[in-house]
Amino acid sequence: MTETARSRRGASARRTWVRRGAVGAGLLLVAAAGTGWLVYAKLDGNITPDEAAAAELARYEKERPSAAVRGAQNILVIGSDSRAGDGNRRYGRDSGSERSDTTILLHLSADHRSATAVSIPRDLMVDVPGCRRPGGGRSRPMFAMFNHAFQVGGSACTIRTVERMTDIRVDHHMVVDFHGFKEMVDAVDGVEVCLTKPIRDKAAKLRLPAGKVTLDGEQALGYVRARKSLGNGSDTDRMERQQRFLAALVHKVQSNDVLLNPVRLYPVLDAATSSLTTDPALASLRGLYDLVRGMRDIPTERVQFLTVPRESYVYNANRDQLVEPEAQRLFERLRLDRPVAVADSRGKSPRSRGESGQGSSASPAPTFRGNTAAESGCE
């Protein structure tokens, strides 16, 4: 074989190798894109859009408050105690109805520098409007416990009740059940809390030592739901425990770089999306991503948890009523995106977070009982 022939043969072999390499690389890219699309489609399809609530709220659009500050967002997070569905029947009999076991109004400031989560007691006495029942027909307006709204009219009725009470526009809402909560905790490999004394609770299936303890999903659910055996047995004490747990969860997610690590992020997203029923605008990965993007850079000391100012209802010590004018003062500041501050039960305030939100120089931030995601229960 001549030198020229050998050269031509070598060139041909190189071209063949390059073509095969290009085809192989192309196939890998297609496979990766396909896999990425399958993952995206699965997570995107996990979320259940709350179309019925959207339709009901549209009927009452004229009576709903308007957004006061552009860019600020208010999300109503509802923890359902429904026994229906996978993993929920073990917590009791399915009566065909559900109640809001936990309800939190989450306010995100327009400048994306702070987040304030406000717990609303389920036993709070409020005006519940007439609402469409899930099985048809309408309920009558009545003065009742707050969780009655979710029981008779689901998320739409709860949103209308909150908006009437606070005059704050609810931009989005999420409903999560027991099973979803557990899955999210397990997806981040548990959440650490600090217990001042051992817990022995048969009803909640908890047997935990004092000190720092990492709770898995099942233990975390028992911990945040227990009412009779932990603390003073009040719903206020239970809500404060829930707030401390959520603060620890936020701290865990941020400190472990979960949001920046695809391997760690996928199970969290899978658990979160599988457990959520949301308004149609949030019922997609893009909708949730836009929401999370607005929260991921908020320092933990600026993520605050508090409970609406409340006291025992004057006609029934087992029920709650708002403390005025403190409650309206809180609602007004959230509505106008003005800052609030929190202090724990000992009067200890977190380090100053500065003024944020609109009109921050108008008045000093009032202080409410609560805590931040930066605080540790073991300090």
Side-chain angles (χ1 to χ4, degrees):
M1 181 180 292
T2 66
E3 185 68 26
T4 301
R6 283 197 296 269
S7 178
R8 289 175 179 174
R9 184 176 180 182
S12 175
R14 285 194 296 272
R15 285 195 296 271
T16 300
W17 181 88
V18 170
R19 284 198 299 270
R20 289 175 178 174
V23 171
L27 290 174
L28 285 175
L29 288 174
V30 170
T35 301
W37 170 250
L38 290 175
V39 169
Y40 181 91
K42 178 183 185 303
L43 295 177
D44 197 59
N46 281 349
I47 310 168
T48 302
D50 199 346
E51 301 286 0
E56 178 72 356
L57 291 173
R59 295 188 184 97
Y60 293 92
E61 180 59 39
K62 291 184 179 180
E63 74 175 31
R64 299 182 65 195
S66 58
V69 178
R70 184 176 181 179
Q73 292 192 76
N74 299 293
I75 301 99
L76 196 66
V77 183
I78 304 170
S80 168
D81 70 353
S82 171
R83 270 63 173 181
D86 294 339
N88 293 323
R89 292 186 179 89
R90 61 184 299 185
Y91 301 106
R93 183 175 59 87
D94 180 13
S95 63
S97 64
E98 54 185 338
R99 292 171 296 177
S100 50
D101 193 65
T102 300
T103 303
I104 295 174
L105 180 62
L106 175 63
H107 173 78
L108 304 180
S109 65
D111 60 11
H112 295 173
R113 293 178 56 195
S114 67
T116 302
V118 181
S119 296
I120 302 175
R122 61 183 184 180
D123 294 340
L124 185 69
M125 300 301 295
V126 297
D127 288 310
V128 178
C131 298
R132 184 180 184 279
R133 296 180 181 275
R138 305 197 70 85
S139 64
R140 298 175 59 183
M142 64 185 305
F143 187 66
M145 291 190 301
F146 175 73
N147 69 352
H148 179 72
F150 193 71
Q151 185 176 4
V152 299
S155 52
C157 193
T158 302
I159 290 169
R160 292 177 59 211
T161 300
V162 169
E163 291 184 339
R164 286 191 174 194
M165 178 175 67
T166 65
D167 198 29
I168 294 172
R169 172 82 176 202
V170 174
D171 302 296
H172 301 290
H173 72 275
M174 305 177 179
V175 182
V176 60
D177 61 19
F178 293 159
H179 182 69
F181 175 82
K182 293 191 306 177
E183 291 293 308
M184 290 180 65
V185 174
D186 285 335
V188 296
D189 297 325
V191 174
E192 184 181 83
V193 298
C194 187
L195 306 177
T196 57
K197 59 182 180 180
I199 295 177
R200 301 289 185 271
D201 188 319
K202 291 184 179 179
K205 299 180 180 180
L206 288 179
R207 188 178 180 85
L208 303 170
K212 291 184 179 180
V213 180
T214 298
L215 305 180
D216 61 24
E218 188 71 38
Q219 293 169 327
L221 181 63
Y223 178 73
V224 299
R225 294 192 68 236
R227 184 171 181 174
K228 297 180 179 179
S229 61
L230 298 182
N232 58 16
S234 69
D235 203 35
T236 297
D237 185 83
R238 188 177 73 118
M239 285 186 295
E240 291 178 353
R241 195 181 329 119
Q242 292 171 351
Q243 292 165 7
R244 290 193 296 271
F245 181 85
L246 290 175
L249 176 59
V250 170
H251 192 271
K252 175 70 176 286
V253 170
Q254 289 199 358
S255 64
N256 282 22
D257 294 327
V258 171
L259 298 178
L260 301 176
N261 186 333
V263 176
R264 295 180 61 85
L265 181 60
Y266 175 77
V268 176
L269 286 177
D270 190 34
T273 54
S274 297
S275 68
L276 287 179
T277 298
T278 76
D279 59 279
L282 278 187
S284 67
L285 276 186
R286 180 56 187 265
L288 287 178
Y289 172 77
D290 288 342
L291 176 63
V292 172
R293 183 177 60 180
M295 297 180 62
R296 65 185 179 187
D297 294 327
I298 299 176
T300 53
E301 63 268 18
R302 298 188 186 216
V303 180
Q304 302 183 121
F305 299 86
L306 62 146
T307 302
V308 294
R310 42 73 56 203
E311 63 187 359
S312 294
Y313 180 45
V314 64
Y315 299 112
N316 186 340
N318 294 319
R319 303 288 180 261
D320 292 331
Q321 65 184 25
L322 294 176
V323 174
E324 299 294 4
E326 287 83 357
Q328 292 307 317
R329 189 183 187 193
L330 170 63
F331 300 151
E332 180 181 18
R333 296 192 75 87
L334 294 178
R335 181 169 60 253
L336 299 178
D337 198 28
R338 292 176 178 165
V340 298
V342 297
D344 64 20
S345 58
R346 298 165 294 178
K348 179 183 178 182
S349 299
R351 65 179 181 176
S352 175
R353 66 178 182 88
E355 298 290 293
S356 64
Q358 302 295 317
S360 59
S361 61
S363 60
T367 300
F368 298 90
R369 180 173 172 176
N371 63 284
T372 75
E375 296 176 75
S376 170
C378 295
E379 293 179 350

